[in-house]
Amino acid sequence: MGDFNIVRWQNEKSDPTHFDVNAGGEFNKCLEDIGMEDLNTKGSWFTWSNKRSGQDHCCSRLDRALVNNQWQNLFKETEAAVLTPGVSDHSPLVVSLFPYKGGKKPFKFFNFWMNHKNFSSLLTLSWCNPVENGDNPMLLLYNKMRRLKPCLREFNKEFYIDIQNRVMVAREELLSVQSRRAHSSSDPILLDYEKLCLLNFNDLSAAEEAWSKQKSRIKWLELGDK
């Protein structure tokens, strides 16, 4: 949390024509690489002002609170508040932790699910089973979609929950077996195991990349709405 002296998007400057596309792109790429995103923030959208008036006035969103997946899983009800600046040209931020009220997270469909070898069979099994009230097409569709959601949640939990940590574990396992193979290159069991580890690591890495890109797109749409 603090002053990053850079903005991520055009709408984070009072004059969007002065937005530095390259600098903003590098900052967003950095945050994507390290798995960080903006904490939900309330209050003034801009956090810095040059304190000038008229045509010379400009303000930007230079200060922000960033969190990773681990933080969001540990502190489910948190937010940052932008306070009044007082004598400073920057507005201070305060992060508050609230008791978790429970409740389910909104359902989100991730495109990379479709690349998994088990997705097609799961979808077919859920969709082809008969449901009640099958005579009404709209009600039939609703009931099938409703039945499919918990199946997809369990599918995501089994294969993709804590995806970033899974990628790290898969990479360590791959490096470990490759190190063992260096001293026993002709061992067919180690060779097959290395292939399995490599396949697992590639699958998880592709899923993590797709997950990060889709979350960035969702965040962009949310910022656009603001």
Side-chain angles (χ1 to χ4, degrees), residues 35-40 65-72 78 95:
M36 304 287 284
E37 60 181 83
D38 284 299
L39 180 63
N40 182 44
L66 299 169
V67 294
N68 58 15
N69 234 16
Q70 287 78 8
W71 172 279
Q72 292 178 314
T78 63
V95 171

Side-chain angles (χ1 to χ4, degrees), residues 85-146:
V87 297
S88 174
D89 54 354
H90 286 269
S91 297
L93 299 179
V94 172
V95 171
S96 300
L97 310 179
F98 302 103
Y100 180 51
K101 300 177 182 178
K104 295 182 179 179
K105 294 182 179 180
F107 178 80
K108 292 179 181 177
F109 183 90
F110 291 99
N111 295 332
F112 60 80
W113 287 345
M114 295 185 293
N115 296 326
H116 195 278
K117 61 182 180 180
N118 294 351
F119 179 81
S120 180
S121 58
L122 180 147
L123 183 64
T124 301
L125 180 63
S126 174
W127 205 258
C128 291
N129 282 339
V131 295
E132 295 181 0
N133 302 315
D135 295 334
N136 187 319
M138 290 303 297
L139 188 57
L140 175 65
L141 176 62
Y142 169 78
N143 286 332
K144 286 195 172 186
M145 293 289 288
R146 185 178 181 182

Side-chain angles (χ1 to χ4, degrees), residues 154-200:
E154 287 301 313
F155 171 79
N156 184 68
K157 182 178 179 180
E158 179 179 358
F159 294 106
Y160 295 113
I161 195 70
D162 196 15
I163 185 66
Q164 293 170 316
N165 185 57
R166 285 191 176 190
V167 170
M168 293 175 58
V169 172
R171 179 180 177 83
E172 291 173 359
E173 185 69 13
L174 175 61
L175 294 178
S176 174
V177 70
Q178 287 177 338
S179 177
R180 289 155 59 190
R181 274 205 65 233
H183 302 285
S184 184
S185 58
S186 60
D187 189 331
I189 297 178
L190 284 180
L191 179 60
D192 290 340
Y193 188 53
E194 180 188 8
K195 292 179 180 179
L196 182 63
C197 289
L198 180 60
L199 180 62
N200 182 50

Side-chain angles (χ1 to χ4, degrees), residues 1-4 38-48 61-66 79-85 90-96:
M1 180 172 68
D3 172 20
F4 290 86
D38 284 299
L39 180 63
N40 182 44
T41 304
K42 68 176 185 179
S44 174
W45 179 243
F46 299 116
T47 65
W48 172 85
R61 184 179 179 83
L62 300 181
D63 309 84
R64 60 201 333 124
L66 299 169
E79 68 178 15
V82 181
L83 308 182
T84 53
H90 286 269
S91 297
L93 299 179
V94 172
V95 171
S96 300

